[in-house]
């Protein structure tokens, strides 16, 4: 029971972490709290669903389709709507992103209706048995892939010129401009890449959760908690926090009942905010400096 | 006549019209106006914490839900109606005080998402509490024995009364020591501290006032619609719409949020009546459009246009005066 709980937590943690990276980076680099972030997860899941229905494509392979789609959506929204308001006030960015969230969710309600859907694979429902512990193949694949994509995102930010330019803009916008970086272009790129990574998380989520236009709302709460826990803008922090969050949820669900896992998660959130608002790995008020 | 005298006279005239209207108009417009007053109070509540103190309480809808559930539970327990409304306001203020003590130490983005998380936490708590709150099934309220026509008019006046009271509170606040303290800490918290403002107490008081307003109308709303569930009582869209009304009317002003509520709700009702199935999509487009096109609110825009028209007519001295006013405004 104890081991199974740990395994359950670890298997879910990767997806939660991957779903949070984009939110955390956008906050860290641009000082935007993107309330439409949950909708990106939802769109990723629908791309996987559509490709699965039409072409019989495996939802994990659908990531290759979802990432470009989400990149375009994230880039366009950033350049057209968020760049003009992001440096005015927190208030305006929150209202705009909430508006985008409503538009995206309602668009999907119009296209797909509010019905709950799911994707099936040949291996769903099958598990690997390691002694008393059961590891469903779907969850194992989702966990491994999420860590892989997260690692790629980390390497991109830290090892490529473009990634370095994003981080430089986050640290000091004016100095970055003097180095020949165009902040507006970097912001568009950051918005697009964050959405793309989130779309990949959405594909993974399509195999684990029922798909509906409000799928993102269930994620948004977790995304808040993990961002704050991991430290704003820190990719490794977010991944570790994703596992921590999922482990806490798994234990709450096993030992207190499934009803309590959200309450425990929110309590954790409040405690972290009060005790260590810069998160476990973040620098103090990194996001504030960017905004 | 000075500006504030003039707006007071205008407000009293509007109030007189609003007091007569329910005996003239049909039930449809009665319902629309009642909801205008309701969201107007929510916008005023937000105005206190956002407009004065500068804390972005995006999750203020939490108090709307707390008020609704307090009224529902107490009425089901047989409490008299006025007592239930008072309990709703008080309970919301207490919740704001208890959570405000730790949360209001957070600044900027952190406070904003902490308040959203507070709202989400309430949803989960009530879903899991079950029992007297009805949990996921929702909670019916006792049906009033009054005739519907009479009942809806009483609720109209309750909501109107709440809006007048909330606006009066904001007006008093704008003149009071606390109001000055809040505006000071909005500009610079450490600066206010140095000047001798007890910032922690001022912030918590402001949030409690904000919560009491929001919770009271949440309670009246629950009595009005007679059936509540978490998704409608703790709908974050409530505070989001209130934000837009505040934006439309002008943040931190006394009458701005009220004007914004009228403008928003009436336009929205007229448009959405035609397109109920894409209601949220249009709301989203509207939110984005307001921020993009009129981020400083509609009222300043209108008054500026009014000035231009007036100065074009009179020319000479008044043009120079208006130029000077514009120069000040734009600085």
């Amino acid at each position: 029971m104890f081991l199974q709980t740990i395994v359950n937590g670890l298997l879910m943690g990767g997806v939660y972490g991957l779903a949070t990276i984009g939110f955390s980076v956008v906050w860290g680099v641009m000082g935007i709290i993107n309330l439409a972030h949950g909708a990106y997860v939802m769109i990723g899941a629908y791309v996987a669903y559509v490709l699965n229905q039409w072409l019989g494509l495996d939802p994990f392979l659908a990531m290759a389709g979802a990432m470009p789609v989400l990149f375009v959506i994230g880039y366009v929204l950033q350049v057209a709507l968020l760049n003009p308001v992001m440096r005015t006030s927190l208030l305006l960015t929150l209202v705009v992103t909430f508006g985008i969230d409503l538009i995206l969710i309602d668009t999907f309600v119009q296209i797909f209706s509010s019905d709950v859907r799911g994707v099936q694979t040949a291996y769903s429902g099958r598990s690997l048995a390691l002694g008393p512990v059961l590891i469903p193949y779907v969850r194992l694949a989702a966990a491994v892939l999420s860590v892989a994509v997260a690692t790629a995102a980390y390497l991109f930010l830290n090892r490529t010129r473009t990634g370095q330019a994003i981080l430089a803009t986050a640290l000091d916008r004016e100095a970055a401009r003097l180095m020949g970086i165009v902040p507006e272009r970097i912001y568009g790129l950051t918005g697009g890449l964050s959405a793309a990574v989130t779309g990949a998380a959405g594909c993974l989520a399509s195999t684990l959760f029922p798909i509906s236009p409000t799928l993102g709302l269930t994620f948004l709460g977790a995304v808040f908690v993990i961002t704050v826990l991991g430290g704003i803008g820190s990719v490794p922090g977010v991944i570790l926090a994703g596992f921590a969050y999922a482990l806490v949820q798994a234990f709450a669900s096993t030992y207190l009942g499934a009803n309590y896992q959200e309450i425990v998660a929110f309590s954790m959130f409040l405690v972290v905010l009060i005790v260590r608002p810069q998160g476990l790995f973040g620098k103090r008020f990194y996001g504030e400096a960017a905004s | 006549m000075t500006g504030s005298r003039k707006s007071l006279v205008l407000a009293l005239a509007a109030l007189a019209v609003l007091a007569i209207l329910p005996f003239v108009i049909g039930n449809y417009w009665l319902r629309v106006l009642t909801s205008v007053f309701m969201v107007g109070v929510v916008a005023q509540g937000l105005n206190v914490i956002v407009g004065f103190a500068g804390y972005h309480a995006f999750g203020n809808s939490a108090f709307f839900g707390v008020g609704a559930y307090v009224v529902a539970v107490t009425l089901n327990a047989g409490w008299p109606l006025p007592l239930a409304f008072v309990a709703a306001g008080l309970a919301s203020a207490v919740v704001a005080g208890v959570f405000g003590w730790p949360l209001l130490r957070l600044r900027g983005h952190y406070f904003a998402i902490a308040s959203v998380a507070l709202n989400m936490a309430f949803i989960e708590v009530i879903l899991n509490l079950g029992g007297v709150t009805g949990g996921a099934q929702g909670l019916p309220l006792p049906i009033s024995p009054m005739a519907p026509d009479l009942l809806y008019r009483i609720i109209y006046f309750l909501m109107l009364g709440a809006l007048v009271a909330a606006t009066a509170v904001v007006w008093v606040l704008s003149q009071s020591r606390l109001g000055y303290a809040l505006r000071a800490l909005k500009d610079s918290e450490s600066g206010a501290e140095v000047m001798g403002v007890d910032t922690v107490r001022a912030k918590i008081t402001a949030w409690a006032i904000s919560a009491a307003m929001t919770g009271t109308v949440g309670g009246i709303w629950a009595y009005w619609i007679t059936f509540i569930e978490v998704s409608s009582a703790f709908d974050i869209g409530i505070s989001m719409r209130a934000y837009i009304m505040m934006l439309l009317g002008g943040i931190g002003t006394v009458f701005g949020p009220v004007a914004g509520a009228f403008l928003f709700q009436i336009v929205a009702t007229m448009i959405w009546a035609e397109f109920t199935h894409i209601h949220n999509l249009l709301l989203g487009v509207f939110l984005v459009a307001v921020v993009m096109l009129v981020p400083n609110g509609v009222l300043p825009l209108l008054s500026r246009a009014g000035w231009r028209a007036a100065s074009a007519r009179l020319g000479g001295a008044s043009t120079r005066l208006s130029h000077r006013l514009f120069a000040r405004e734009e600085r």
Side-chain angles (χ1 to χ4, degrees), chain B residues 23-133:
Chain B
F23 306 103
V24 187
I25 53 178
N27 280 339
Y28 176 74
W29 282 102
L30 189 79
R31 200 169 67 230
V32 171
L33 281 175
T34 310
S35 66
V36 169
F37 304 151
M38 179 179 88
V39 294
V41 178
V42 178
Q44 284 293 26
L46 213 52
N47 195 20
V48 172
I49 187 72
V50 181
F52 283 82
Y55 274 77
H56 289 292
F58 254 65
N60 243 24
S61 42
F63 304 119
F64 190 86
V66 168
Y69 269 91
V70 167
V71 162
V73 170
T74 53
L75 282 186
N76 281 334
W79 288 32
L81 194 60
L83 203 60
F85 289 150
V86 172
L90 278 182
S92 305
V94 169
V95 169
V98 169
F99 284 95
W101 182 72
L103 293 186
L104 284 164
R105 285 193 286 177
L106 305 165
R107 298 270 323 158
H109 296 51
Y110 290 90
F111 178 76
I113 71 166
S115 77
V116 173
L118 182 67
N119 186 62
M120 294 166 116
F122 267 112
I123 294 178
E124 297 300 334
V125 168
I126 286 179
L127 281 180
N128 293 312
L129 267 181
V132 288
T133 66

Side-chain angles (χ1 to χ4, degrees), chain B residues 269-320:
Chain B
T269 307
M270 278 156 46
I271 297 175
W272 291 340
E274 307 292 318
F275 305 98
T276 44
H277 57 293
I278 50 167
H279 175 127
N280 274 332
L281 198 140
L282 288 176
L283 174 61
V285 171
F286 189 77
L287 294 181
V288 173
V290 167
V291 170
M292 291 291 157
L293 304 175
V294 282
N296 293 320
V298 167
L299 285 193
L301 200 76
L302 287 179
S303 63
R304 196 176 294 189
W307 261 112
R308 292 229 172 93
S311 55
R313 266 202 309 280
L314 296 171
S318 83
T319 314
R320 275 200 300 282

